[in-house]
Amino acid sequence: TLGGVTGSIGGSAPDVWVIDTGVKTTLADFGGRVSFYADILNQGVTTDLDGHGTKVASLITSSTFGDTLSNVYSVRVLAGSIGSTIDVIEGLYTVKNAVTHRRKIVSMSIGSGPNSALDVAVEKLLAAGIAVVVSAGNDGGNACNYSPARVPGVISVGAHDIDGNIPIFSNTGSCVDIYAAGLDVKTLGLDGGVEITSGTSMSAPIVSGILSLIAGQHPTMTVAEWTDMLLDFSIACGGDSALACVRTPYRAPNELAG
């Protein structure tokens, strides 16, 4: 059970594609469900040397913090200070063009200021029936001023704290679709131990995991219909009826119950 959604993942369920710093796929917690797909940086690296992508993946599928049903593919587009918007765009097109027998969800804890080329790449994934979950950003600003959070059709995710309130760093505004845990979130580090992390980068994969379970139950639905179901499972953030929060207690995702 993740976020109040219980899923049974079958052959028609989507894969979740993590566009990030790579993922350390060999961690025991992943149970073989995470696979390397591409290193856009052409460094011959098939793992995660930074840790960010591993934290993201652990909130989607891990025996400790995510669910144990979703399969994840890693597309490495960043490495410390190395990586650019061009690399991210290439990563997106790599996912779009990948030949699979299952539908796709992209989990993207990456963003920038307004960038039309990045927006167009995301729009092409959406047009191909691929769900795109993105972090809203950590600048305390209006998410409508950031790419790709501003793109219509993406699921843009802000952060909330243990009380359902929005921390000062989270971007907000009409371009944010939903908020998920983003302050002092438990994740997996590169050594397989627990690391406490904050930011909308952690909020987005929590939603990606929940969306994967919804999609596994309803594989023929459109992305828009999956999104509607996701929002149906939400509650008001901190009592503010204008904001939607993932309908969960503030605990590790694998403990979340409806």
Side-chain angles (χ1 to χ4, degrees), residues 202-252:
M202 302 301 109
S203 309
I206 291 173
V207 170
S208 298
I210 295 171
L211 192 70
S212 177
L213 296 184
I214 291 172
Q217 293 176 336
H218 305 280
T220 61
M221 281 187 172
T222 65
V223 172
E225 288 171 328
W226 288 345
T227 304
D228 287 343
M229 288 199 70
L230 172 70
L231 294 175
D232 285 343
F233 282 109
S234 69
I235 60 173
C237 298
D240 186 343
S241 60
L243 302 177
C245 272
V246 169
R247 184 174 62 106
T248 60
Y250 197 91
R251 292 179 289 177

Side-chain angles (χ1 to χ4, degrees), residues 92-163:
L92 289 167
Y93 285 127
T94 296
V95 174
K96 179 180 180 295
N97 295 328
V99 178
T100 68
H101 298 291
R102 292 182 292 270
R103 292 177 67 183
K104 304 167 187 173
I105 295 172
V106 166
S107 191
M108 185 174 168
S109 292
I110 299 172
S112 72
N115 188 295
S116 58
L118 180 57
D119 292 345
V120 167
V122 169
E123 288 168 351
K124 289 186 176 181
L125 266 68
L126 293 170
I130 299 171
V132 182
V133 182
V134 304
S135 54
N138 301 320
D139 297 304
N142 186 337
C144 295
N145 295 326
Y146 294 82
S147 294
R150 67 179 184 169
V151 175
V154 305
I155 301 173
S156 177
V157 188
H160 70 69
D161 66 14
I162 195 168
D163 297 314

Side-chain angles (χ1 to χ4, degrees), residues 6-23:
T6 301
S8 176
I9 299 298
S12 59
D15 295 316
V16 183
W17 295 71
V18 172
I19 297 181
D20 212 289
T21 62
V23 179

Side-chain angles (χ1 to χ4, degrees), residues 134-190:
V134 304
S135 54
N138 301 320
D139 297 304
N142 186 337
C144 295
N145 295 326
Y146 294 82
S147 294
R150 67 179 184 169
V151 175
V154 305
I155 301 173
S156 177
V157 188
H160 70 69
D161 66 14
I162 195 168
D163 297 314
N165 297 315
I166 312 305
I168 192 170
F169 63 77
S170 178
N171 284 355
T172 56
S174 61
C175 290
V176 178
D177 297 289
I178 196 166
Y179 294 81
L183 185 67
D184 297 335
V185 178
K186 291 181 179 180
T187 66
L188 290 180
L190 290 176

Side-chain angles (χ1 to χ4, degrees), residues 9 29 33 60-64 66-71 213 254:
I9 299 298
D29 262 75
R33 294 180 301 278
I60 300 170
T61 182
S62 70
S63 58
T64 303
D67 69 72
T68 57
L69 300 171
S70 300
N71 292 312
L213 296 184
N254 71 323

